[in-house]
Amino acid sequence: MTDAAIETVDPKAVRRASLVRLATGLAQGLLLYGLYEAGERKAWPAIHPMLFAAIGLAVLYAPFVVLAGASSLRLRTLAVWKLGAVIVAAGLSAYDIWVATYYRHAGDYTRILPDPPVFCAIAAVLFIGHHLVQPADMERRPIARFATYFDVTWKHGVQLVLSLLFTGAFWLLLFLAAQLFKLIGIDAIQRLIEQEFFSFPATTVVFAAAVQLTDVRANLVRGVRTVSLTLLAWLLPLMALIAGGFLASLPFTGLAPLWATKAAAALLLVAAAFLIVLTNAAYQDGSERPAAVLAWAARAAGLLLAPITALAAYAVWLRVTQYGLTPERVIAAACVVVAAGYAIGYATAALRRGAWMKSLETTNIAMAFVAVGLLLALFSPVADPRRLSVGDQVRRLERGAVKAEAFDFLFLRFDSARFGREALDRLKANADPVVARRAREAGAMKERPYLRDPKPEPAARPPRITYYPKGEVPPKGFAEAMRSMGSDSNCLQAGATCEARLVDVTGDGAPEVLMTNRWALEVFSQSPTDGWRKIGVYTTPCEGFDFTAAVREGALEATVPAVRDLAGPSGTLRFLPELKTCPPKIEPVQKP
């Protein structure tokens, strides 16, 4: 169904879809809460990591198939596709847990949830897969028209964003309500929203309701989509200009600065992705030719995509031939394959005569299938990047392409899961004694050491204290006592700069050490039993009192307090003056 189609809304179908979506959201929330509690209590199925991951990801993702297809897919297609979603989510997540766990290494942490890339991969597979299934089911043929793919995919993309925003706004309102009621002493709402038995079902039901609300207002969703794509489309000329300028500069700069970034392939692939997305924003469903500027920019982007993808492929090939495969390079190579497919198709569309960029449609549909296949291969045993990387790196070691001293045994131990640790076990029996020894050392490690020796911390600079009058020296034993008092004094900490003067402030005939860092005046006194210690600090309520000048000039004199302390049966009562008298502040006279 395209934008131009006239939609008829069946009230019974709307009610049926509403009930299905709300029931699905409620069931998903309750199941997620049950899994959360099992994980917290370490109860079944959390005691079986692979099973827990499989159930958890299936419960998380499979309901989205129902939410997206409840009003469009036939019941049989929906059931089969939901089963497929469960198999994909459960299989990929269970496989990730299996790969990450190698029970022959005691003490290794066993995860119960997959790594974040697995979450993203499952979401991508199901999103792309759903938008290959639903249009085909709507038109009752294996491959639908491109206009239907475009309409359904972008409609659901906008629905997803709007539903997430609606769910976020729902929670913001709940938090606002909780704070408002707390102002009048009612914290029931705060306690409620902090409970998982409420937060899980509430989130999923509200999200399901948002999907239903946006689904019955499909024309409004398409309006938002059209505005968004139009705005994106007008970025295409700028992107084409950037890509063209970059490629035109290469003959003058050479490739060395590009390789020096050590991220050339990633940056080039990001540029290719922008060209692809913005070209599609300009083309949309192909029913209308855009403005001439956008039309020519789309053709230019289709041609520029090829050299940018070729440079990305060359960058990946250089790193692989020099240093072998790593998981990142395997994923980069897969991205290059996808980008190359788009580059060939878009260049053909740009050069072919006839309807403007028409063959772009075939390219988009074909590359959607390729992307799903690559994602499934990369996150399954078929082409697991860790397995491929371990095999390649070990072969390089065994044929002498890399010496044992330069080989990254830590990659096998910590970065390649089961495959790397199994390879370490095999290398422990290697005929080369250096390889065997280093494999045993790496296998025995429980945590990754520093990749390089950390730089030694610079020696702490001792405090610098100047005694006044000039030439005065600290009392006997004070310098030695400073080392144990450093944490109790601002002036005795490493790197401090202070001024000091000897003044008898206790009246016992022996001078105390008065020391200032400009903000207060610390007092150190010597006791026959405890030795030197800090006994207190002088402060002032008056602004602008210069402690440093007072110490330097010796303008300090012990005085008898106007109000003495009181001795009581439970200790001494200290007098704290209520009135704080300060000298008048003299403002500087401004010259006329």
Side-chain angles (χ1 to χ4, degrees), residues 35 134 213 222 235-236 284 304 344 363 390 408 420 429 469 491 531:
L35 290 171
Q134 181 171 322
L213 291 172
R222 291 192 181 100
L235 293 176
L236 179 60
Q284 297 194 26
L304 293 170
I344 295 171
T363 300
V390 168
D408 190 1
C491 282

Side-chain angles (χ1 to χ4, degrees), residues 323-407:
Y323 305 108
L325 290 177
T326 63
E328 294 79 10
R329 289 169 198 152
V330 174
I331 294 173
C335 292
V336 166
V337 170
V338 174
Y342 278 107
I344 295 171
Y346 283 26
T348 302
L351 295 173
R352 178 173 291 178
R353 294 181 179 180
W356 176 71
M357 299 287 285
K358 186 66 176 178
S359 58
L360 173 149
E361 300 178 0
T362 304
T363 300
N364 283 349
I365 297 172
M367 295 314 301
F369 284 99
V370 171
V372 169
L374 283 174
L375 284 170
L376 291 175
L378 289 172
F379 290 88
S380 70
V382 176
D384 190 313
R386 293 161 293 189
R387 179 178 63 81
L388 298 178
S389 300
V390 168
D392 181 68
Q393 293 292 346
V394 172
R395 283 192 296 271
R396 285 168 53 84
L397 175 66
E398 292 175 340
R399 70 171 183 263
V402 59
K403 301 297 183 183
E405 292 78 6
F407 186 76

